[in-house]
Amino acid sequence: MQYNTVNFLSDYGLADEFVGVVKSVIHSIAPDVRIADVTHNIAPHDIRGGGLALARSAAYLNPGVVLAVVDPGVGSSRKAVAVEVGGGSTILVGPDNGLLAPTVALVGGATAAANITNSPFRIDAPGLTFEGRDLFGPVAAQLCAGATLDDVGIPIDPALLMPAVMPVSAREGDTIVAEVLWIDRFGNCQLNVDPDELELAAYSLQVAEQRRPVRRVSHFDALGSGEVGLMVDSSGMVSIVLNRTSAAVELRLGTGIEIRLHGGDEPTGITTPVTIGKLS
């Protein structure tokens, strides 16, 4: 099966030559392939962030090859893999460090996989630290050119792939205990909360020792100035939002921070900051 699209995600950024070199290597092998840049601004080494970004994008990516590289263990004993999903409609190529796992789970699991660490399509290089150029890119291109999983690597049991470690929300009586998974560039804070978990129209939002009233809304303009909302975002998850203001800055939130949504009681100790400090 041939593929005509490579969907490319990485933590390479755009300040250096890394992205351009990988894309040029792909085109040198498969000149007609189209490359869609999902994002290259994943925080350096942020495997969880990269995995979440890929999973959020998965339903909207053109079927083909997905090239995902967030690889702090590059050059180590971690495996490099190609993972078939959707009965072969898409193949994910990247490090076996949990980066691919959320997407694999989201689309119903892997139908086949290969260890490509010692792929015959690896490009010889003086060092081991740029496998996007030397391994992942060439393998992605060869798959687009008609190579099979057996051609690019050694078959492995998909059940042996590294799983993703994602936090789940919890219940403590009328309280939902959750975590900030992701903050977008507008400061909206995505939680590990499914909309079905929200049973009330309003809650008391606790961050550390401070509480703020928060209510469910469907769009930003439903909120008044300084009012905090809970909104289902474009990924179908619940996010903490403010209208035209960064919720992350206003509430001093960062990824991994615990929040509590209290139901059934009145918020106490409500604090409205006068001076907004920089996120630490």
Side-chain angles (χ1 to χ4, degrees):
M1 186 171 184
Q2 285 188 288
Y3 306 96
N4 62 10
T5 302
V6 172
N7 300 286
F8 187 13
L9 173 146
S10 77
D11 63 349
Y12 289 155
L14 297 175
D16 300 298
E17 73 276 15
F18 305 137
V19 170
V21 167
V22 174
K23 292 166 76 170
S24 188
V25 166
I26 292 170
H27 278 137
S28 72
I29 298 168
D32 297 327
V33 72
R34 298 174 298 184
I35 302 177
D37 295 295
V38 180
T39 181
H40 300 294
N41 286 327
I42 301 300
H45 317 307
D46 186 359
I47 295 169
R48 189 176 85 165
L52 287 168
L54 191 60
R56 287 193 299 269
S57 308
Y60 305 95
L61 298 180
N62 191 51
V65 176
V66 173
L67 171 59
V69 188
V70 181
D71 194 15
V74 62
S76 70
S77 60
R78 68 95 186 92
K79 294 192 298 293
V81 293
V83 183
E84 178 189 272
V85 296
S89 63
T90 296
I91 297 181
L92 291 78
V93 176
D96 185 32
N97 59 7
L99 175 66
L100 307 179
T103 299
V104 172
L106 185 67
V107 299
T111 49
N115 183 339
I116 63 169
T117 305
N118 298 310
S119 175
F121 298 115
R122 177 188 282 275
I123 295 175
D124 288 334
L128 300 175
T129 61
F130 194 2
E131 291 205 321
R133 175 196 67 191
D134 302 332
L135 177 63
F136 299 126
V139 166
Q142 292 291 348
L143 289 166
C144 289
T148 67
L149 282 184
D150 288 345
D151 294 329
V152 300
I154 301 170
I156 58 174
D157 183 349
L160 300 178
L161 294 170
M162 180 75 71
V165 179
M166 294 293 173
V168 295
S169 60
R171 277 276 189 178
E172 294 180 1
D174 291 329
T175 297
I176 301 171
V177 182
E179 181 176 314
V180 177
L181 289 180
W182 173 62
I183 298 172
D184 69 17
R185 70 186 301 268
F186 299 101
N188 304 312
C189 302
Q190 186 181 72
L191 306 176
N192 58 335
V193 175
D194 186 280
D196 291 341
E197 296 180 64
L198 299 182
E199 300 170 348
L200 305 175
Y203 290 84
S204 170
L205 168 66
Q206 180 180 352
V207 181
E209 299 303 317
Q210 299 184 2
R211 288 200 191 188
R212 297 276 291 268
V214 58
R215 65 184 179 90
R216 296 173 63 180
V217 295
S218 61
H219 58 281
F220 294 103
D221 275 348
L223 294 168
S225 178
E227 189 178 11
V228 185
L230 293 171
M231 187 171 70
V232 178
D233 63 23
S234 60
S235 301
M237 300 293 283
V238 174
S239 285
I240 300 172
V241 302
L242 277 83
N243 186 13
R244 309 184 195 191
T245 303
S246 169
V249 172
E250 174 78 9
L251 301 172
R252 296 181 176 270
L253 290 173
T255 56
I257 287 181
E258 180 183 282
I259 67 99
R260 289 172 175 261
L261 295 171
H262 298 282
D265 62 355
E266 292 297 321
T268 58
I270 298 172
T271 302
T272 303
V274 176
T275 302
I276 298 176
K278 184 180 179 181
L279 275 174
S280 57

